[in-house]
Amino acid sequence: VKDEGRGAVRFFEAAMDAELQARRQLEHELGGAIARDELRLFYQPIVNARTGEIETFEALIRWQHPERGFVSPAEFIPVAEQADLIGRIGEWVIDTACAAAAAWPQPWRVSVNVSPTQFRQSDVPTVVAAALARHGLAPARLVIEITESVFIQDAAKAVRVLTDLRGLGVRLALDDFGTGYSSLSYLQQFRFDKIKVDQSFVRRLGQHADTLAIVRAIVNLGHNLGLQVTVEGVETAEQLAILRELHCEQMQGYLFARPAPTLPASELELARLRA
Ligand code: C2E
Ligand code: CA
Ligand code: CA
Ligand code: CA
C-alpha cells in the first residue's frame, strides 16, 4: 500500500511537471508572439439599443498560434499577467486599436479592455496618450474598459489613474458589472461614463424569474447615477424583447454580430454616407 501511495505521488508530481512545462512553453511562445506578428484584434459592434445603429466596436484580442490555432484571451491573458508580458501586450492592443479607429468613419468609437494587472503595473495613461497622439485619434473616440478588481489592492491609486485617464478625455467603462465583490461601493469612488452589465445575467434571463428584477435594478441604478448602460451577451430575439423594455442605452452580443477581424463592409459604407 505504501508503495502504491508513493507511486501515486510520483505520478502526481510528473503530471504537475508536465503542466508546469506546458505553461512555461506557452509563456515562452507568448513572449515572441508580438515580434512574430501572431496577435490580432477582432472587433464586435456595440449598438444603440433604440435604433440598432453601431456606435462602438469593442476590440477583443486573439492569438493566432501557428500550431494551436486561435488561442482564447481567457486562456492567455492570465498567462501574460503572470509572466510580466501584459504591459507589452496591453500596449500593443491600445496602439493597434487606436490606429484602426483613426481610419474608421467619425462617429464610431473603439473600446479597449485593460486587465487589472496591466492597470496596476504599467503606466496606462502615458501609453494611451502616446497612442492617441501617434495616430491622431480624438480622445473621446476611445473607451477604456476595466473591471472593479482594479480597486482591490490599492483603491486610491486606481482612482488616481482613472482620474488621469479622464483628464486625457477618454471614456471609462466598468466592465462585467454585477459579478465581482461589492460593486456598489466602487461606483462611489469614481464616476464612470458607463457600466457594462455582465453577460451571465442575460444568459439566465429566461431561466430565473429574479434575474429580470436584478437586471432592471442595475439599469436603474446606472441611470440614477447618470451613467450609460450597455448590456452584454445578447444572443436571442427573446432576450432582446425583454431587454428593450429596460431602456438601456446599448446592447452587444451574437444576435447583432460576433467579433470579426474586419468591420462589415456594408456598415462601413452606411456610416460613411451618414458621416
Ligand atoms: P469581456 O471583456 O467581458 O468580453 C466579452 C466576451 O464575450 C468576448 O469574449 C466576446 O467575444 C464574448 N461575447 C460577445 N457577445 C457574446 C454573446 O452574445 N454570447 C457569448 N456567449 N459571448 C459573447 P472573448 O473575446 O473570448 O474575450 C474574453 C475576455 O478576455 C474578455 O471578456 C476580456 O476580459 C478578455 N480580453 C479580450 N480581449 C482583451 C484585450 O485586448 N486585453 C485584455 N486585457 N483582455 C482582453
Ligand atoms: Ca470588455
Ligand atoms: Ca464584459
Ligand atoms: Ca469578462
Side-chain angles (χ1 to χ4, degrees):
V1 177
K2 237 183 184 171
D3 271 358
E4 255 173 48
R6 223 173 279 143
V9 167
R10 246 180 250 127
F11 177 77
F12 181 69
E13 283 173 349
M16 286 289 285
D17 280 353
E19 201 173 287
L20 202 67
Q21 275 189 0
R23 191 176 175 97
R24 290 233 177 90
Q25 176 73 17
L26 198 67
E27 278 182 19
H28 176 72
E29 290 170 357
L30 187 55
I34 296 180
R36 288 191 304 271
D37 194 26
E38 291 169 2
L39 299 182
R40 299 279 175 274
L41 287 184
F42 276 35
Y43 297 96
Q44 184 182 33
I46 302 176
V47 306
N48 182 300
R50 219 166 20 83
T51 65
E53 276 182 25
I54 293 173
E55 295 185 336
T56 304
F57 284 89
E58 180 173 1
L60 295 157
I61 196 170
R62 303 288 181 262
W63 179 12
Q64 199 167 26
H65 191 281
E67 289 119 40
R68 299 171 204 253
F70 275 112
V71 185
S72 142
E75 191 179 335
F76 75 81
I77 290 292
V79 175
E81 291 194 313
Q82 285 210 339
D84 251 356
L85 294 167
I86 192 64
R88 271 167 54 210
I89 291 176
E91 194 168 341
W92 178 88
V93 169
I94 291 167
D95 195 72
T96 305
C98 287
W104 295 348
Q106 279 295 325
W108 287 346
R109 298 194 163 100
V110 69
S111 202
V112 168
N113 294 282
V114 170
S115 93
T117 307
Q118 177 190 354
F119 191 84
R120 278 192 297 266
Q121 290 179 354
S122 65
D123 184 357
V124 177
T126 300
V127 169
V128 166
L132 291 171
R134 190 176 305 126
H135 302 291
L137 185 71
R141 293 184 59 204
L142 177 64
V143 185
I144 302 283
E145 300 190 8
I146 60 147
T147 59
E148 61 196 12
S149 50
V150 302
F151 292 103
I152 287 172
Q153 277 180 17
D154 187 347
K157 184 180 174 214
V159 170
R160 281 200 302 276
V161 176
L162 287 166
T163 305
D164 286 352
L165 285 168
R166 160 83 25 92
L168 294 175
V170 303
R171 290 169 184 249
L172 295 155
L174 190 54
D175 201 1
D176 298 352
F177 189 77
T179 54
Y181 301 93
S182 48
S183 323
L184 302 182
S185 79
Y186 299 127
L187 288 178
Q188 282 193 313
Q189 306 203 29
F190 185 80
R191 176 58 59 97
F192 287 89
D193 297 291
K194 72 172 175 176
I195 53 178
K196 298 187 76 175
V197 180
D198 192 70
Q199 54 190 23
S200 58
F201 293 105
V202 180
R203 204 172 306 132
R204 285 190 294 254
L205 260 187
Q207 296 157 24
H208 291 276
D210 290 347
T211 304
L212 180 58
I214 292 171
V215 175
R216 180 181 285 123
I218 295 176
V219 174
N220 289 340
L221 171 74
H223 287 168
N224 288 335
L225 291 171
L227 313 179
Q228 290 201 331
V229 181
T230 304
V231 177
E232 295 188 290
V234 183
E235 293 185 353
T236 70
E238 287 89 339
Q239 291 168 343
L240 176 64
I242 297 170
L243 291 167
R244 271 254 162 81
E245 309 194 343
L246 301 182
H247 305 294
C248 59
E249 279 70 27
Q250 295 179 320
M251 294 194 199
Q252 178 178 7
Y254 294 166
L255 180 66
F256 307 101
R258 285 176 181 262
T262 53
L263 307 192
S266 57
E267 292 291 344
L268 265 172
E269 207 39 56
L270 272 177
R272 282 220 176 79
L273 290 174
R274 280 200 298 265

